[in-house]
Structure formats: C-alpha cells, structure tokens
Amino acid sequence: MKKLVLFGLLAVQPITTTVWAQKKPLDHAVYDSWQSLGQKEISKNGQWIMYSVRPQEGDPTLFIEQTNRSKKFEINRAASGAFTNNDAFAVGLIKPFYKDQKLVQAKKLKKEKLAKDSLFIVNLNTSALEKIPNVTGYKLGKKDDFILAYTTEVQKDTTKKGAKPNDKLKDLVVKNLETNQETKVKNILEYAVSTKGNYVLYTLETNKKDSLAPKGVFVINTKDFSTKPLVDQKGTFKGFAFDENEQWVSFYGNQDDEKALIKYHQLYVADLNNNEVKVVIDEKTAGVPANWYVSGDKNLQFSKNGQSLFLGVAPIPVAKDTVTLSVDQAVVDVWGFRDDFIQPIQLKNLERELKRSYTTILDLNNVNQVVPVNTLEIADAQLLNEGDSRYLLLSSDYGKRIPSQWTASIPRTYYIYDRETKNKTEIITDLVGSVYASPKGNFIVYFDKDKGQWFSYNVANQTTTNLTKNLPVSFTIEDNDVPDTARQYGFAFFNEADNKAYIYDRYDIWAFDLNNNQKPQNVTNGYGRKNKVRFRIPKLHNEFKTLNEQDVVLLSSFNETDKQSGLYQLATLQNAQDPVLVIQEGVKGYPNIQKAENADFYFFTKENAIEPANLYVTQNLTNQAKLTQLNPQQANYNWHTVELVKWKTNKKNNSEGLLYKPENFDPNKKYPMIVYFYEKNNEELHRYEQPAPTPSRLNIPYFTSNGYVVFVPDIAYTDGKPGKSAEEYINSGVKYLIKKYKWINPDKIGIQGQSWGGYQVAHLITRTNMYAAGWAGAPVANMTSAYGGIRWGSGMTRQFQYEKTQSRIGKTLWEDLDLYIENSPLFHFDKVNTPVVIMHNDQDGAVPWYQGIEMYTALRRLDKPVWMLNYNGDDHNLIKRQNRKDIQIRQQQFFDYYLKDAKAPVWMTKGIPATSKGLDWGFELTDDKVE
C-alpha cells in the first residue's frame, strides 16, 4: 500500500561541503538552551492545546494554542496548566525566575527571599489574561465549569515585632470564573473542591488563645457563596472525599493534642444537602477490630452510586518510649533469617508501613457498624465496578516474601470477597503474573508467568478458563534472554459490554470471549506477524477505558524490519480483518497519540535522528499541522546521520546495531570510533538524541559533531555467559565495521558503558586489546561480592539479578562458583592493557560503589592506567546537573587524548589531591603524557 508523505517532516537532503564547513561543532556551552516538550494536553472539545517548552536549564514557557492555529497565548515561566471542564478557561502557576531559584538554593537563603508563584487565568473566549501573585496552589472541580479555588501566602503581620508567619496557614479564595464573584477566607489549613464544584470545604486552625474564634470544618456553597459550619469543634481535619453526586463528604479528624504520641482519628460523614454530620466512626464503632482504630492515612473513597464508603483501619501502634533518655537507648537493626524482608527493605518502606491501613466498608444505609475486609494476612483490596459491585478483589503475599530476594517476584494469592455473605473465596493461588479486573467486575483476567498462559475467572459462576491454550502463537516474549520465565506482551482493553478481553501477542491483537461463546479471534488477522509489524491500541484520553466493538479502532504500529512507526485502522472488532494503513514513517512517536475526549482532534509528537520531538495536531490523521519547531539553533551545528547495521556474529547469530556518522562525513578521512552498548537499541534508530551533559552514558551528538563515529551494537545473551555474549556481539560488530569501512581507524576505538554496560566494558578489556580506551560507569567488577550486595535504592539484595534477571548467571553462587569467577573481571585484570576511567558514586542506589573501588584498587595494584571519579552524594546515574557537566568534559578529554592524540588534562597526568578539591578541577591541558 502506498505510504503518505506528511507535511512537517524534515527531509534529509544532500548538503554541500561548503555548507558543512560553515557549521560548527557542538561545545559544552550549548546544553542549557536545548529544548524539549513538557506537558501536553488538549481540551475536551479539541479547540485548544496546551504544551510547555523547557530548556535543559532555565525558564519554561507554556503555550495555549488553538488547534486551527488562529490564536496563541504564551505564558513565560509556566510549566503546566489545566483547562476547565467546559474548556472556557485555562489556569496554571507561573514560577519564579529560574536564576532566582538557583541563587536561593546556592546561597541556602530562606525561602522568604524567593518570589512566590503567580496564578494565571486565561479566558479562552475573550482572550483576557489575569495574573494573581503570591499563590501557593489551586484546585478545580473535576466536572465543574467555572469554580476555581486557590490559596495565597499569609502575609506577615508587620504590626507585631518579631512575628513569624505560620507556614501551615494559607488564605483561600473561591472564585466563579464566569461571573468573577469570589469570597475570601483567611488562615485556613486544608481545603477541597467537590467533583462538580458546588461546594468548597476548608478547615480552620484552633485558636488556643480565643475560645470564641471560628474553628473546625466549613462549607462554601458556590451557588450563592454562603458559608456554613459543618464541624464546630477544635481538631485537625484532613482527607476530604466527595461522592460523585455531591450528597456526601467524608473526612478524618482528631482532637488530640499536637504532642500526643498516638493520634486517634474519627471518620466524619456529612450530608451536604443539609450541612449536617450524619456519622462519626471511631475505634469504638461496631465492626472495628479490638485494639484497632481509624488510622487516618487511607484515601477515602465513595462507591460510584454513593451507597458505600471505603475507609481505613489499622492496629493501634505502640507509643514511643519517652521515659528512657535517648542516650540510654541502643540504636540497632536486627537482621533475622525468618524476616519477610531484610532490614534495608524494611527501613526503605518504613514510612509506608507505619501508615498502612486496611480496607473497611461503611454502608451508608446502615451506619451503625463498619465491615473490615482486609486482615493482617490478606492486606490488599481492589474495588470492582468503582465500588458498586457486590464483590471486592483481595490479594495477599503473606508467607511468600522471603524468596523474592533471589526470584525478583512474590507469588500472590487472590480472593473474591462477597459483601453480602462476608465470605472470601480463593480464586488464584500463588500467582506470579498480572491481574486485570473487568470494569464492571464480572471477570478477573490474569497472566500466569510460570505457565505462560492467560486465564479468566468468571465471578458469577466461579469458573476459570485458560484463554490461550492451544493457540498457535506465544503470548510471552519470544526472544527472552534472561534465565527466568518470559514476561507477557501485554493486556489491551476490555470491551464496553464487559464480556471480552483484548490481549497482545508479539505482533497482533486477540479477542477473547470471556463467556466462552466464541473461539479466540485474531482481530488483526495475523497481518502483524506476516509483515513483522507490531500493533497496539493507544489509550487516547483519560476516559478511554473500554473498546466499542462497532467503532473504528486506531492502532499504532512498529515495523521490526525497517523500524518505522505509524498508524493503522480497524473498521470493526467484530471480526478478523487486515488493518488498513493510514501512515508509516521513519519516525518515533505514534504510540503516544492522544485524542480530544469529545472531538476528532488528535495530537502526538514525532521525532527522528535529525529532528527533535515536535508537536503535531490533526483531524484526519494524514493532514498534520506542526505546532512547534524546537531547537532551530541546531541548524548552525554539525549534526549526525544514523543507519541500521546488520551482521552475523562469529557464531552465525544475526545482530543489529546503529552507526552514527558526522553530518560532514568524508569517506576519505580516518575516524576514531566509540562503541556504546546497553542491551538492545536497534528500535531507537529514529530516536532524537539530545545533546546534554551525560549522567554517565555517551553523549552521542557531542562526539559525532566533534569528528567521532559512534557504534551502538545490540547484544543477545546466553544464560551463564553474559561476558562471552558481550564479546560475541560487540567484538564481532566492531570487526565487521572495520573490515567493511576503511574510514574507521582500527587503532582508535574506544568503548563506553554505564551500569550493565559498565560491567561489559570491564569484562571486554580483560579479553581483548582491540580497544584503545574504555570508560566504565558504575561497573560490577566482582560478581562474587556483588551477588550478596544491597541495592540501596530499594533495599533488595542483588541475588535476583544473577539468578533471574540482567546479570544472567542463572544459578546461585554455590551451584556454579566457576561461572561467577569466569564472568567477574576482577579475576582477570592482570590481562588488561586498555586505559580506563571508572565512575562510581558513594550514593549509588543500584550497584554498591565498592565494586568501583575493587576495580580501581586492583588495576592500580597491577600498575594499569586507571582513574576513578566519585561524585560525592550522587547516585547510580548522575542526578546533579553540575556533576553531569563536569563528567562530560572529563569524558571528552579522556577520549580525545587516546583516540585523537590530543593533549592530556592535568587530572589525567597529575591527578587532583584532596587539598585542591573544589579549587582546581584539573581541566587544563598540558604537554605531559600519561605514563
């Protein structure tokens, strides 16, 4: 079928050498101004689109533009905003200048020194723009057209000497955007806007010095802006939740002293029709288990029909010992071998666990008791049919947690809870996989990873069906290369009738009749597998939750052969048919397509290796209007081209990779090459690589712009042989390129990798001398010590990585010690002749930084050229921008020295002593050689 060529795509045209010569190479000063898109949102009627453009460092700009491009608002220093429900207004916050925020942070000034946010309000009909200063936040009713509530900072009382503002207090303004009528309330603590905007609730702090001062909870009726008390008593109130019809509001409150070690909450339920509290639930209420209480930490939720309220209760905690002096108390973590989770995980999740509460139901037609659903052993609950169902889905991993440290997964058992009988029925036992409840709660569809099959449980008749049994395709990852059972390809949607599920195989989409009245049907007719095109159904907007079988269905596509992406359409889901091609291009982006909720307006981003991700809008999918043109300054710089490379490894396995060349490439020159690798990257052929200071990977645009060729090979793995697999794919790809292209200098090839790629750098330099320089970010050097290490970001041990996931050993340390030693570079560093830089930071949350130390100290002991960078307080991938900028310069200087014969910087030749830390960065180039 003929492919469509669209307006707005940047065509790559031959450029003369004269033009190339006028372009300059990228330098490290360009990064801050390089732009990307931030928030992207379309109005429900499709008439307006809101999007932000952000520099890497500096002030963002928010644009609100008509989709027909006739009108456009530009809000400087705003990063995000929102449309009102009727699309008549747009609102958002304007932040202080970035330079001022940075200055306050750098000088550790008090936040009072920083200018406050401003609120902008745009009337999209009249084009009027209003800005309100000193705003701390705002809220809109989800289904309201005109009510806006916002808070401003309480101004310091200048009449009282030494008076300090109470940071907890704010001034509240409730405004009708259509009439401009508003009301103001001073010194509020919390506030909430009801779903339809008819009510705004707020709380006032108890004035301990004035017993007659207003206190408690108040409600503003936004129809006439009248205010009435809802709870007239002292206390702290929080967690407001409204039912959809705005009859009920519920919230937590407590009257305990602020210094109370345990705060006992009450649950309030008020009738908004008469401004009266109808229910107060506390630890004495019937149904609350003995020694349990209303926790106040669980989000309150009404059922959609407003007949039930779901709250949280929990065991009363043990009060902190305030009698014994802290200096007399030991501080110790006790690691027990029967602990469900090891101490680092427990400490990581401590705050969450202290706030854990258990689902309990209050029937608003019977408010004299509550019904606990969860227990300590069965702790999780999911509402079905938005809480209107007779049933709930419960689950538990109790007693199954210990092995997760080496399996990377925790089996869960699932139950159906019947609200009428109050009985639990076990429906799925020890599942490792995923569970999806149909929107109306009639079916539970789940993927069993151990069996590699999809199943369905019929809630009404309590039967389970294997949906994918005996089908001719796999629904699990076909090229799985980790020593674990394969993952699923994914679940798409249920249908509107709540009796069909749509599930993906590698390429196609299947329909499963959950009542077993029809056989499974490949609704894309096998077209995807036949043509190696992957089809997926995009979630077009927030309310896009089910599929109408009679509607035309939009599909995103990805061609595995040429890496093009696009859009197809299915005329119906009622029978199998070939999808019809709408558009297919050499771009990345169509899977992110979104649609206006109430109109046929679509928007999406597209990018390719040359053009950044720009924003497009369209009504018919083919005539696309380009709204943005990011980074026009790129035209002044020498950029790059990229091509897909295919070769066979020395073991005759097919492989692919990406080859980046400078835009001003000259085949008569010799080029140094840097090889970057991490798993597989062939599907990034059309990805735009933004020039940015590196978190420790390779800044491809910088290096290609400055005369390097960059090669990114894919790697497929054999269990137990991660090192050998890297050798097979990386080295064979490099040898293939050297043989094919005489313009690659075989003596000037470097390698760079971060994390798992850093490990492979460390391994490769122990097995070959073909690389002139190596850069290893956060590498594992010794698998025998890393195996029992901790991933401090999550608290987990690293055992699962070796036995089941990325490190791909597939056995315990004691089952095959030789494999761990074979794949540990540490034991082979005596063979290294390649100079190498290690980056490993002392707050690495993934790979313990002592791995970098082991590598550094071993190579140093062996008198090998090695440097190690530890960015104090930074993570696995660099987070702090100043550190990213620093490492970018060092990485460039290192590769320039070894691959371009450039001068060496001081940090490489002489080092930087601790006495010069923070004073001398060692960037100065010298005539000294690294010896």
Side-chain angles (χ1 to χ4, degrees):
M1 184 172 288
K2 186 177 180 180
K3 299 177 184 177
L4 300 176
V5 179
L6 300 184
F7 161 80
L9 284 180
L10 181 61
V12 183
Q13 299 291 341
I15 305 176
T16 65
T17 305
T18 302
V19 175
W20 280 337
Q22 296 172 350
K23 293 190 174 185
K24 52 189 176 182
L26 291 167
D27 59 52
H28 301 307
V30 306
Y31 305 134
D32 289 354
S33 62
W34 225 266
Q35 299 168 322
S36 62
L37 289 169
Q39 180 200 18
K40 301 173 287 291
E41 181 178 343
I42 197 166
S43 61
K44 292 181 179 180
N45 62 16
Q47 299 300 307
W48 293 89
I49 189 165
M50 181 186 300
Y51 58 92
S52 65
V53 175
R54 305 175 303 184
Q56 290 184 26
E57 188 167 350
D59 295 311
T61 302
L62 185 72
F63 296 92
I64 306 168
E65 184 172 0
Q66 281 190 314
T67 49
N68 64 11
R69 311 196 72 182
S70 62
K71 190 182 294 185
K72 184 177 183 178
F73 300 95
E74 183 175 327
I75 315 291
N76 293 323
R77 305 198 320 277
S80 62
F83 293 109
T84 54
N85 184 61
N86 64 351
D87 299 327
F89 295 86
V91 299
L93 294 178
I94 300 172
K95 296 292 183 181
F97 284 101
Y98 173 81
K99 62 179 178 62
D100 294 336
Q101 297 180 57
K102 190 174 181 180
L103 184 64
V104 167
Q105 182 181 18
K107 293 189 174 182
K108 299 181 179 179
L109 301 174
K110 294 181 178 180
K111 65 178 182 178
E112 291 82 22
K113 299 290 185 181
L114 183 65
K116 304 304 181 290
D117 293 351
S118 296
L119 176 72
F120 72 80
I121 304 172
V122 180
N123 187 319
L124 299 175
N125 295 318
T126 67
S127 300
L129 171 63
E130 180 182 6
K131 295 181 180 179
I132 302 167
N134 297 320
V135 171
T136 59
Y138 72 92
K139 294 178 182 179
L140 297 167
K142 183 179 179 182
K143 297 183 179 180
D144 169 63
D145 290 341
F146 296 115
I147 296 301
L148 167 68
Y150 64 90
T151 51
T152 60
E153 189 174 58
V154 174
Q155 298 301 307
K156 182 179 179 180
D157 187 350
T158 57
T159 64
K160 297 180 179 180
K161 188 175 181 181
K164 295 182 179 180
N166 185 340
D167 290 340
K168 295 189 299 181
L169 298 180
K170 308 296 176 187
D171 290 343
L172 172 68
V173 180
V174 181
K175 181 183 183 74
N176 185 308
L177 296 174
E178 182 183 37
T179 65
N180 279 324
Q181 184 180 3
E182 64 180 35
T183 187
K184 299 180 181 179
V185 185
K186 288 185 172 296
N187 298 323
I188 68 119
L189 284 167
E190 303 281 347
Y191 74 106
V193 180
S194 64
T195 306
K196 298 178 182 178
N198 290 318
Y199 302 98
V200 175
L201 268 67
Y202 64 89
T203 69
L204 293 178
E205 186 178 44
T206 301
N207 189 328
K208 298 177 181 179
K209 297 181 180 179
D210 184 358
S211 61
L212 299 178
K215 56 186 176 296
V217 180
F218 298 79
V219 57
I220 300 172
N221 186 320
T222 60
K223 292 178 181 179
D224 57 11
F225 281 83
S226 60
T227 301
K228 294 182 179 179
L230 201 57
V231 177
D232 184 15
Q233 63 185 66
K234 69 175 185 177
T236 301
F237 304 91
K238 63 178 183 177
F240 298 105
F242 298 87
D243 77 311
E244 190 164 289
N245 295 319
E246 297 189 330
Q247 177 185 355
W248 302 104
V249 64
S250 183
F251 48 91
Y252 297 113
N254 80 78
Q255 284 76 48
D256 295 313
D257 186 271
E258 287 186 6
K259 296 181 180 180
L261 298 177
I262 300 175
K263 291 183 172 61
Y264 288 82
H265 288 89
Q266 297 80 42
L267 175 79
Y268 294 80
V269 183
D271 187 336
L272 291 169
N273 292 333
N274 55 26
N275 296 309
E276 181 182 1
V277 172
K278 293 290 187 180
V279 185
V280 179
I281 304 295
D282 61 19
E283 69 277 5
K284 302 180 185 67
T285 300
V288 176
N291 300 316
W292 286 43
Y293 74 152
V294 176
S295 71
D297 290 315
K298 186 176 181 64
N299 290 335
L300 296 168
Q301 182 177 349
F302 285 93
S303 60
K304 188 177 180 65
N305 60 20
Q307 300 299 305
S308 303
L309 174 66
F310 300 90
L311 61 138
V313 298
I316 298 172
V318 177
K320 182 180 179 181
D321 179 4
T322 57
V323 176
T324 307
L325 295 175
S326 59
V327 293
D328 293 329
Q329 295 181 9
V331 180
V332 59
D333 300 325
V334 179
W335 299 43
F337 78 106
R338 294 298 186 195
D339 293 349
D340 276 359
F341 296 112
I342 60 174
Q343 281 289 326
I345 294 180
Q346 294 183 49
L347 294 171
K348 191 74 180 178
N349 299 330
L350 181 60
E351 184 176 355
R352 184 188 70 191
E353 291 302 313
L354 288 174
K355 292 182 177 181
R356 179 180 286 278
S357 56
Y358 300 82
T359 299
T360 300
I361 305 173
L362 173 65
D363 184 341
L364 293 175
N365 296 310
N366 179 17
V367 297
N368 296 319
Q369 67 173 8
V370 296
V371 179
V373 172
N374 289 135
T375 64
L376 294 176
E377 293 77 21
I378 304 176
D380 298 303
Q382 178 181 342
L383 307 188
L384 301 180
N385 195 18
E386 299 182 79
D388 286 356
S389 174
R390 169 180 168 177
Y391 305 100
L392 281 81
L393 179 65
L394 311 184
S395 66
S396 172
D397 61 5
Y398 185 79
K400 307 292 174 63
R401 298 164 183 162
I402 292 177
S404 66
Q405 293 296 290
W406 51 87
T407 64
S409 58
I410 305 177
R412 297 188 76 86
T413 295
Y414 291 81
Y415 307 82
I416 289 293
Y417 176 84
D418 188 328
R419 293 174 59 179
E420 292 186 8
T421 66
K422 299 180 176 57
N423 292 326
K424 301 179 183 72
T425 301
E426 184 174 317
I427 64 169
I428 312 169
T429 304
D430 291 345
L431 177 72
V432 175
S434 306
V435 173
Y436 306 85
S438 66
K440 295 179 182 177
N442 295 314
F443 296 92
I444 309 299
V445 173
Y446 61 96
F447 173 72
D448 189 320
K449 188 167 176 278
D450 291 333
K451 296 177 181 177
Q453 299 286 332
W454 283 91
F455 295 83
S456 173
Y457 177 81
N458 187 314
V459 175
N461 62 30
Q462 301 182 347
T463 57
T464 299
T465 302
N466 186 329
L467 298 175
T468 51
K469 184 178 180 181
N470 299 326
L471 290 178
V473 299
S474 173
F475 287 83
T476 63
I477 304 298
E478 294 177 7
D479 54 357
N480 177 49
D481 65 352
V482 297
D484 195 8
T485 51
R487 295 174 288 109
Q488 54 157 312
Y489 279 108
F491 181 87
F493 291 92
F494 291 96
N495 67 338
E496 286 184 355
D498 211 53
N499 59 12
K500 283 188 178 180
Y502 295 88
I503 297 173
Y504 302 123
D505 71 14
R506 178 171 180 171
Y507 300 104
D508 291 296
I509 304 168
W510 291 75
F512 296 92
D513 184 333
L514 302 179
N515 286 316
N516 300 318
N517 294 326
Q518 297 177 355
K519 292 183 178 180
Q521 189 174 55
N522 185 326
V523 294
T524 48
N525 207 30
Y527 181 95
R529 186 167 293 274
K530 185 191 306 181
N531 295 281
K532 292 190 175 181
V533 174
R534 295 202 299 256
F535 291 119
R536 299 296 182 257
I537 304 174
K539 182 177 173 62
L540 295 175
H541 51 75
N542 289 335
E543 298 303 314
F544 190 90
K545 297 176 181 178
T546 58
L547 299 176
N548 185 323
E549 295 174 87
Q550 297 177 345
D551 286 349
V552 175
V553 179
L554 186 66
L555 308 178
S556 66
S557 67
F558 179 81
N559 189 304
E560 287 188 349
T561 303
D562 61 16
K563 320 305 176 187
Q564 292 193 350
S565 62
L567 298 171
Y568 285 69
Q569 286 182 329
L570 277 177
T572 177
L573 290 170
Q574 292 179 309
N575 51 62
Q577 57 186 282
D578 287 354
V580 176
L581 176 65
V582 177
I583 175 68
Q584 186 166 290
E585 312 173 81
V587 298
K588 185 179 179 68
Y590 280 113
N592 66 38
I593 188 168
Q594 291 185 272
K595 176 185 173 296
E597 186 176 330
N598 300 324
D600 287 332
F601 279 90
Y602 299 84
F603 75 96
F604 48 87
T605 61
K606 293 193 300 188
E607 63 186 274
N608 60 32
I610 298 173
E611 181 173 351
N614 280 300
L615 185 62
Y616 295 78
V617 293
T618 180
Q619 282 186 276
N620 61 8
L621 301 174
T622 56
N623 297 321
Q624 302 175 2
K626 184 178 182 181
L627 295 186
T628 61
Q629 182 62 63
L630 300 188
N631 302 313
Q633 76 277 18
Q634 180 180 311
N636 301 320
Y637 293 96
N638 184 38
W639 199 246
H640 58 235
T641 62
V642 61
E643 60 193 71
L644 185 66
V645 179
K646 299 184 179 184
W647 75 96
K648 285 188 178 293
T649 71
N650 51 299
K651 293 185 178 180
K652 307 304 180 185
N653 291 313
N654 293 322
S655 192
E656 296 180 326
L658 305 179
L659 183 63
Y660 294 84
K661 297 185 292 188
E663 181 182 349
N664 62 351
F665 174 76
D666 183 348
N668 297 313
K669 291 183 177 180
K670 284 280 191 180
Y671 287 88
M673 183 169 75
I674 301 176
V675 187
Y676 168 79
F677 34 80
Y678 190 94
E679 300 283 351
K680 295 182 175 71
N681 289 279
N682 70 78
E683 294 185 6
E684 305 302 313
L685 175 66
H686 300 299
R687 179 177 182 268
Y688 180 79
E689 293 279 351
Q690 188 174 85
T694 176
S696 188
R697 53 162 293 179
L698 195 71
N699 182 350
I700 292 176
Y702 175 84
F703 282 100
T704 55
S705 184
N706 283 272
Y708 286 86
V709 170
V710 174
F711 177 44
V712 185
D714 285 355
I715 308 166
Y717 293 89
T718 300
D719 289 355
K721 303 290 183 181
K724 289 291 185 183
S725 298
E727 293 175 52
E728 177 189 351
Y729 284 85
I730 297 170
N731 292 349
S732 69
V734 171
K735 291 176 181 178
Y736 168 80
L737 293 179
I738 292 172
K739 184 177 180 180
K740 183 175 182 180
Y741 300 121
K742 301 305 179 185
W743 37 263
I744 295 176
N745 188 338
D747 298 324
K748 297 295 183 179
I749 299 176
I751 51 176
Q752 198 277 333
Q754 162 67 13
S755 189
W756 182 235
Y759 156 72
Q760 290 165 326
V761 169
H763 176 87
L764 288 175
I765 62 176
T766 68
R767 305 305 169 107
T768 179
N769 293 324
M770 66 190 295
Y771 301 114
W775 186 287
V780 165
N782 181 1
M783 287 191 175
T784 66
S785 59
Y787 174 80
I790 301 294
R791 293 179 64 96
W792 293 106
S794 64
M796 292 185 68
T797 68
R798 294 175 48 84
Q799 293 166 339
F800 73 92
Q801 288 190 228
Y802 299 90
E803 296 184 37
K804 293 291 185 180
T805 64
Q806 189 175 54
S807 297
R808 295 176 170 93
I809 297 298
K811 296 182 179 181
T812 71
L813 183 65
W814 305 276
E815 288 172 331
D816 202 328
L817 177 61
D818 290 343
L819 275 183
Y820 282 83
I821 292 176
E822 174 192 335
N823 288 283
S824 294
L826 178 73
F827 302 105
H828 313 282
F829 278 149
D830 57 318
K831 304 178 185 68
V832 169
N833 292 304
T834 303
V836 63
V837 172
I838 305 159
M839 182 214 75
H840 220 142
N841 307 315
D842 51 26
Q843 293 301 309
D844 192 317
V847 178
W849 84 297
Y850 60 71
Q851 287 294 315
I853 295 173
E854 287 191 50
M855 181 172 176
Y856 168 79
T857 56
L859 290 172
R860 175 182 164 92
R861 176 65 183 83
L862 292 164
D863 199 25
K864 310 290 184 179
V866 59
W867 298 261
M868 179 170 163
L869 306 174
N870 167 28
Y871 289 93
N872 302 169
D874 219 324
D875 208 335
H876 182 64
N877 296 294
L878 289 172
I879 302 299
K880 299 175 183 177
R881 188 166 176 83
Q882 66 270 31
N883 292 340
R884 292 184 174 195
K885 289 183 175 181
D886 181 278
I887 200 174
Q888 185 61 77
I889 296 171
R890 298 187 195 281
Q891 192 178 82
Q892 169 241 317
Q893 291 181 332
F894 173 75
F895 281 125
D896 279 358
Y897 177 76
Y898 283 108
L899 305 185
K900 281 188 169 183
D901 297 323
K903 291 184 177 182
V906 169
W907 69 269
M908 288 177 60
T909 59
K910 296 181 179 179
I912 303 175
T915 53
S916 298
K917 180 178 177 180
L919 303 173
D920 182 0
W921 306 105
F923 292 142
E924 181 184 356
L925 300 178
T926 73
D927 292 325
D928 296 339
K929 301 297 181 182
V930 176
E931 296 177 348

